[in-house]
Amino acid sequence: MAQVVDVRNGGKRRWLILTLGLAAQTASCSFLYGIPFLVPSMQSAEGLSLAEAGTVVAAPSLGLLFTLILWGAAADRYGERLVMAVGLGVSGLLLVYAAVGDHSLGTLFGVFLLAGASTASVNAASGRAVLGWFGPAERGLAMGIRQMAQPLGVGVAAFGLPPIADRWGFQVSFLLPALTAIGVALLVAWLLVDPPRPEAEAGKVEKPPSPYRKPALWRVHGASALLVVPQFAVSAFTPVYLVTVHGWTAASAGWFVGAVQILGALGRIASGYWSDRVGSRLRPMRRLAVASAAVMLLVALGDATWPWLVLLALVLAAVITVSDNGLGFTASAEMAGLAWAGRAMGTQNTGQNIAAALTPPMLGLVIGDSRYALAFCVAAVFPALAVALVPVNHERAEGPH
């Protein structure tokens, strides 16, 4: 059963909980988004084609999609500490297995599939823990800090995995995310305390009604999925665009992407703080959708005109297109209520991951040989649609959160 404590005694503890949630999500992301950095090593060591290596790389995300909602339901039922510790620990042990011995391509695919399914536990449970320990006036900032985990995880993988793979082989490099996951899982099991559950404290046993009976929560999920398209248009195509169109080296393009990811992480914190100050998640989310559509058109304009403009636009796009991410998560959890928050965040993340998976092949077909400006214009359509979908009127009708 979940540990339950008095939130009034958790003033300092809540920051520890946030730190543990951020660490757990970072450990998860270092695996989920780190495996692509090993593709060159895998190809040279095993003689894999790009398609074969890409199949292995896709396995963690595929496993994640299958289990996000289930892990969210488990967090709602059994508590965040158990779900995070078990899922993260199992994923770490699976990666240790992948790091030792000789494994076929099929075995690696299966191990990564299971590890991705296991590490999905962190996505909803860490967000649910933050939701429970922070009040409405601080929750946006807290969730914005938690959302820094993705760029931090990518950074850990980018700086750690390739050097290890070059020296000891790509399989040994799996030990970095493996040991990180196991270490953080142990810390979570030791230090994390589940937030209070008001319905349990009040002695209520009846199940709260589903928040999905009304369309507002579905609209938040849909708008968030649409807003993922420009985000992944920028992250997926900026490196290849800079190399093929502007003649940058792969290393310089990589450093550019890494630097703007740091700015994007700061943007998530700023948007969360903004939402706390204005007492709304959805109004800032809708304004960021407008800004996202505008900045993608600016990128397209820059591609068709001056190189300095497209570089400036790409920096702005890398910040603006990711800044709404925490707002959608926070709004989903708050609208669902604590009893349904895990499932709501699992559903939210599932929709976003589906959109993320579909964006590169869709825009790749539009780009063809060199039609980048057209692709950036297409990417601008999706946040424009999200503007109309964000249910701001529902938030106003419900009153201040």
Side-chain angles (χ1 to χ4, degrees):
M1 294 295 293
Q3 277 185 297
V4 178
V5 297
D6 190 345
V7 72
R8 292 171 296 180
N9 298 326
K12 294 181 179 179
R13 182 185 294 273
R14 71 191 192 282
W15 295 106
L16 172 63
I17 303 302
L18 176 58
T19 301
L20 290 170
L22 175 62
Q25 193 73 56
T26 300
S28 175
C29 289
S30 70
F31 161 56
L32 288 170
Y33 304 111
I35 300 300
F37 290 102
L38 298 174
V39 167
S41 297
M42 293 171 64
Q43 287 184 282
S44 62
E46 300 294 327
L48 303 179
S49 68
L50 184 60
E52 290 173 328
T55 300
V56 176
V57 166
S61 297
L62 187 61
L64 183 93
L65 284 175
F66 285 143
T67 56
L68 277 168
I69 298 175
L70 294 176
W71 278 118
D76 288 337
R77 176 65 178 85
Y78 299 107
E80 295 79 2
R81 183 180 66 161
L82 176 64
V83 167
M84 289 170 64
V86 170
L88 199 57
V90 169
S91 71
L93 292 174
L94 286 167
L95 291 177
V96 169
Y97 173 76
V100 298
D102 294 325
H103 302 298
S104 67
L105 183 65
T107 299
L108 283 179
F109 179 88
V111 171
F112 287 166
L113 185 76
L114 293 174
S118 298
T119 200
S121 66
V122 176
N123 289 53
S126 63
R128 197 184 191 286
V130 172
L131 173 78
W133 276 110
F134 283 82
E138 296 178 316
R139 198 174 286 152
L141 173 62
M143 289 292 280
I145 293 173
R146 172 194 173 271
Q147 294 302 104
M148 290 178 64
Q150 182 177 344
L152 288 176
V154 172
V156 169
F159 290 114
L161 294 181
I164 296 174
D166 289 343
R167 184 161 184 176
W168 291 291
F170 75 91
Q171 281 190 239
V172 176
S173 67
F174 299 154
L175 289 175
L176 176 61
L179 297 179
T180 303
I182 293 171
V184 175
L186 292 174
L187 288 175
V188 167
W190 177 31
L191 296 173
L192 193 137
V193 178
D194 290 342
R197 299 191 173 222
E199 69 276 9
E201 292 178 347
K204 296 179 181 179
V205 295
E206 67 272 14
K207 182 180 178 181
S210 170
Y212 288 102
R213 294 179 180 178
K214 297 180 180 179
L217 189 53
W218 289 112
R219 290 177 62 182
V220 172
H221 295 334
S224 296
L226 291 171
L227 288 169
V228 163
V229 175
Q231 175 186 336
F232 274 79
V234 173
S235 62
F237 292 104
T238 294
V240 66
Y241 172 74
L242 293 175
V243 170
T244 59
V245 177
H246 292 278
W248 289 32
T249 65
S252 58
W255 280 104
F256 178 86
V257 172
V260 297
Q261 280 210 332
I262 295 173
L263 296 176
L266 296 176
R268 295 181 184 205
I269 296 176
S271 65
Y273 180 80
W274 175 22
S275 76
D276 287 337
R277 299 286 70 78
V278 300
S280 169
R281 315 299 176 202
L282 299 183
R283 291 201 305 276
M285 184 176 172
R286 185 168 65 176
R287 290 173 185 173
L288 286 169
V290 174
S292 182
V295 78
M296 294 309 297
L297 293 176
L298 185 63
V299 174
L301 177 63
D303 176 62
T305 55
W306 307 288
W308 66 266
L309 179 59
V310 75
L311 293 178
L312 174 62
L314 284 172
V315 172
L316 293 174
V319 176
I320 293 171
T321 61
V322 303
S323 295
D324 64 273
N325 195 271
L327 301 179
F329 268 100
T330 309
S332 294
E334 289 178 336
M335 292 170 67
L338 192 59
W340 281 81
R343 281 161 285 188
M345 284 188 280
T347 304
Q348 167 87 357
N349 204 210
T350 299
Q352 290 181 310
N353 276 279
I354 292 173
L358 294 176
T359 296
M362 175 189 68
L363 292 184
L365 289 173
V366 176
I367 292 170
D369 294 329
S370 59
R371 296 185 296 270
Y372 282 96
L374 177 60
F376 293 138
C377 287
V378 171
V381 172
F382 292 86
L385 294 174
V387 172
L389 199 57
V390 176
V392 173
N393 289 336
H394 171 84
E395 191 176 56
R396 289 170 179 162
E398 292 292 317
H401 57 70

